[in-house]
């Protein structure tokens, strides 16, 4: 397991993802516990990019339930189809919200959140098992570069589900 991450803050966002992903894989490769690996992956994302909030919600029956996260306290349960997270789960797709005030039904766990990206994470039966939610306190902070590399993170999480 790596003990210290190399994070070059002067790099572009894409270069930073490219630098971090191999380190993230090395961090989790010798550990099989889901919660331990999620906790470390979330910490890597939070501290590398200074996102406002990074965490996961697990699919449990007809709701999402809060899992490991870094950032301020958050709502614990979200119904299927509600908010960005519940919509990502229901529609089984990545959702980028450039301005949360313009997303109908957005659930505001914090008024500081201005934009977000949510990715569904599939288990090996191709069902959504959890969602990865990343919030920024800046408007329009997520784009196709985030989607591309965070999809790789989602696939890494799928590998130990
Ligand atoms: N904004 C999310 C709720 C989760 S929190 O932001 C941590 C949503 O609309 O689903």
């Amino acid at each position: 397991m790596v003990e210290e991450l190399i994070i070059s803050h002067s790099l572009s966002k894409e270069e930073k993802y490219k630098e971090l992903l191999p380190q993230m894989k090395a961090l989790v490769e010798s550990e099989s516990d889901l919660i331990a690996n999620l906790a470390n992956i979330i910490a890597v994302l939070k501290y590398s990019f200074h996102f406002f909030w990074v965490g996961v919600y697990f699919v449990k029956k007809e709701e999402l339930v809060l899992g490991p996260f870094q950032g301020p306290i958050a709502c614990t349960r979200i119904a299927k189809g509600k908010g960005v997270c519940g919509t990502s789960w229901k529609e089984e797709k990545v959702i980028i919200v450039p301005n949360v005030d313009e997303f109908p039904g957005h659930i505001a766990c914090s008024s500081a959140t201005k934009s977000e990206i949510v990715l569904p994470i599939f288990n090996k039966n191709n069902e959504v098992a959890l969602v990865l939610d990343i919030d920024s306190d800046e408007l329009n902070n997520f784009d196709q570069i985030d989607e591309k590399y965070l999809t790789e993170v989602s696939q890494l999480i799928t590998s130990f589900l």
Side-chain angles (χ1 to χ4, degrees):
M1 179 186 148
V2 291
E3 289 181 1
E4 205 171 330
L5 292 177
I6 298 163
I7 307 168
S8 310
H9 290 287
S10 59
L11 296 178
S12 71
K13 179 163 74 175
E14 180 155 32
E15 288 167 337
K16 211 189 263 190
Y17 276 117
K18 284 184 178 164
E19 181 180 68
L20 279 169
L21 276 167
Q23 298 184 74
M24 193 186 270
K25 287 176 186 166
L27 185 62
V28 299
E29 69 184 358
S30 58
E31 175 56 65
S32 59
D33 187 85
L34 175 63
I35 301 294
N37 284 339
L38 285 172
N40 265 338
I41 287 171
I42 288 163
V44 171
L45 292 171
K46 174 81 170 84
Y47 287 99
S48 303
F49 293 97
H50 303 293
F51 293 130
F52 179 70
W53 194 94
V54 183
V56 294
Y57 282 88
F58 291 104
V59 171
K60 293 195 179 173
K61 297 186 182 156
E62 286 309 298
E63 283 179 317
L64 292 170
V65 182
L66 184 64
F69 70 93
Q70 296 256 344
I73 56 169
C75 30
T76 55
R77 290 175 189 266
I78 297 174
K80 192 169 190 177
K82 299 292 179 193
V84 188
C85 293
T87 305
S88 171
W89 171 25
K90 186 176 172 199
E91 298 184 1
E92 302 193 351
K93 66 176 196 193
V94 179
I95 301 181
I96 293 174
V97 182
N99 179 353
V100 296
D101 290 339
E102 292 173 2
F103 187 94
H106 170 257
I107 299 164
C109 293
S110 165
S111 59
T113 296
K114 299 284 185 265
S115 61
E116 65 179 90
I117 182 169
V118 178
L119 299 97
I121 298 177
F122 298 89
N123 62 22
K124 287 167 185 143
N125 296 327
N126 228 19
E127 300 153 340
V128 180
L130 60 158
V131 300
L132 173 64
D133 178 5
I134 304 184
D135 298 351
S136 171
D137 55 8
E138 292 169 32
L139 282 169
N140 205 12
N141 203 26
F142 302 100
D143 58 21
Q144 304 314 312
I145 293 173
D146 299 282
E147 177 168 352
K148 176 177 172 192
Y149 291 98
L150 292 172
T151 297
E152 284 190 39
V153 174
S154 304
Q155 289 162 353
L156 178 64
I157 295 170
T158 296
S159 73
F160 46 75
L161 280 182

